[in-house]
Amino acid sequence: MITVENLTKRYGAFTAVDDISFEVRPGSVVGFLGPNGAGKSTAMRMMTGLNPPTSGRALVLGRPYRDLPMPGRHVGVMLDASAQHPGRSGREVLTLAAMHLGLGADDVAHALNRVGLTDKEAGRRVGGYSLGMRQRLGLAVALIGQPQVLVLDEPANGLDPQGIHWMRTLLRGFASAGGTVLLSSHLLHEVQAVADEVVMIGRGRIVAQGRVDELIQAGGVTVRSMDDGALARGLQAKGVDVTPAAGGLTVSASAEDVGRAALEQGVVLLELRTGAEGGLEELFLQLTAADARDAA
């Protein structure tokens, strides 16, 4: 369980994180999304005790991260997979993490196997690892203590399609076993595939949060017909908001209501779809357009 309450971080006159509140419940995966510079990493650093908040608080398993006894046994954290000593082997990095947590060689072997790093790969120096291998090693460090909570920043960065599928299966399995997962990622199609809920922030503030399917469905219904004008008049007569769109109409009503209105008007429907056509990616772009680096 992660609880974020009115979390705020200011650096002088600049507010990096501005009064955000949300929960990540056991058994769920929550995507933490936002453009570069939106405050995601700062918020995750506050959740994991690396940065003190200006105000508000973040609790993990009911306590501030720093108050957890042996935090690595409760919370697996990966905020920067490249932050590993390049001169050490993967096994040495993981062995040091195990020693810190009071774990042994069997735990190291289990963690390596869990993330798909072979004995040969584990014996290589981290400086020679690909980005994807570094991600797997970072995950092994996060998982070695058998935590109840995972806090991951861009865990799929550098993974190939097979690796991304493996990551999705691992995180869903972790949540299905009662674990709690908060992940930040720019791979929005993958977030849509793996996450139960999302929290989107822009300029440090939450711009949307909720279940992925509900947020996408909130995009309304897009319809194209043989006579869009007649259909629009029929829907507006029922008090439905209708907006012309490229090649059709965007309607703030259910697909069933649109179908009934078309039947009453004697209009043949050519296309009817619910939600944002591009799914979570389109919703993200709409909601964070003003905060993106390339907004202009």
Side-chain angles (χ1 to χ4, degrees), residues 82-97:
S82 65
Q84 305 286 0
H85 195 300
R88 294 189 178 124
S89 70
R91 183 175 285 105
E92 288 170 343
V93 168
L94 203 52
T95 298
L96 288 172

Side-chain angles (χ1 to χ4, degrees), residues 62-88:
R63 303 186 189 185
Y65 180 88
R66 292 186 176 188
D67 292 345
L68 291 169
M70 198 72 74
R73 289 289 193 104
H74 305 281
V75 187
V77 179
M78 187 179 77
L79 299 184
D80 184 359
S82 65
Q84 305 286 0
H85 195 300
R88 294 189 178 124

Side-chain angles (χ1 to χ4, degrees), residues 169-195:
T169 302
L170 184 149
L171 296 182
R172 283 299 346 157
F174 185 89
S176 296
T180 302
V181 182
L182 177 69
L183 76 149
S184 168
S185 178
H186 288 106
L187 300 176
L188 299 182
H189 290 297
E190 283 308 309
V191 173
Q192 184 172 338
V194 74

Side-chain angles (χ1 to χ4, degrees), residues 61-285:
L61 299 172
R63 303 186 189 185
Y65 180 88
R66 292 186 176 188
D67 292 345
L68 291 169
M70 198 72 74
R73 289 289 193 104
H74 305 281
V75 187
V77 179
M78 187 179 77
L79 299 184
D80 184 359
S82 65
Q84 305 286 0
H85 195 300
R88 294 189 178 124
S89 70
R91 183 175 285 105
E92 288 170 343
V93 168
L94 203 52
T95 298
L96 288 172
M99 292 172 61
H100 177 71
L101 297 175
L103 303 173
D106 288 346
D107 300 291
V108 172
H110 176 71
L112 288 169
N113 182 65
R114 191 172 184 183
V115 302
L117 286 175
T118 67
D119 287 342
K120 183 177 180 180
E121 290 169 336
R124 289 170 50 189
R125 295 184 187 275
V126 173
Y129 275 16
S130 67
L131 179 56
M133 290 174 65
R134 288 174 183 258
Q135 293 293 105
R136 289 178 183 264
L137 179 61
L139 274 170
V141 173
L143 290 166
I144 193 169
Q146 299 294 328
Q148 299 163 259
V149 177
L150 290 177
V151 179
L152 310 173
D153 194 0
E154 299 290 347
N157 192 22
L159 295 179
D160 58 21
Q162 291 83 2
I164 290 173
H165 176 76
W166 161 81
M167 171 76 67
R168 185 195 311 164
T169 302
L170 184 149
L171 296 182
R172 283 299 346 157
F174 185 89
S176 296
T180 302
V181 182
L182 177 69
L183 76 149
S184 168
S185 178
H186 288 106
L187 300 176
L188 299 182
H189 290 297
E190 283 308 309
V191 173
Q192 184 172 338
V194 74
D196 303 291
E197 302 178 23
V198 294
V199 176
M200 294 188 191
I201 66 171
R203 297 185 184 179
R205 297 186 65 86
I206 292 177
V207 297
Q209 64 184 114
R211 291 192 58 83
V212 174
D213 53 354
E214 292 175 353
L215 288 173
I216 292 174
Q217 292 299 324
V221 169
T222 300
V223 59
R224 186 166 59 90
S225 72
M226 295 290 289
D227 190 343
D228 287 345
L231 180 58
R233 290 190 292 273
L235 288 165
Q236 289 167 341
K238 297 176 179 292
V240 175
D241 291 332
V242 179
T243 304
L249 305 169
T250 299
V251 181
S252 60
S254 68
E256 180 181 348
D257 289 341
V258 173
R260 290 183 180 278
L263 178 62
E264 292 170 3
Q265 296 297 315
V267 174
V268 176
L269 296 182
L270 301 176
E271 184 179 5
L272 180 64
R273 63 178 185 270
T274 58
E277 182 178 10
L280 185 60
E281 181 174 350
E282 181 179 328
L283 179 67
F284 174 85
L285 293 173

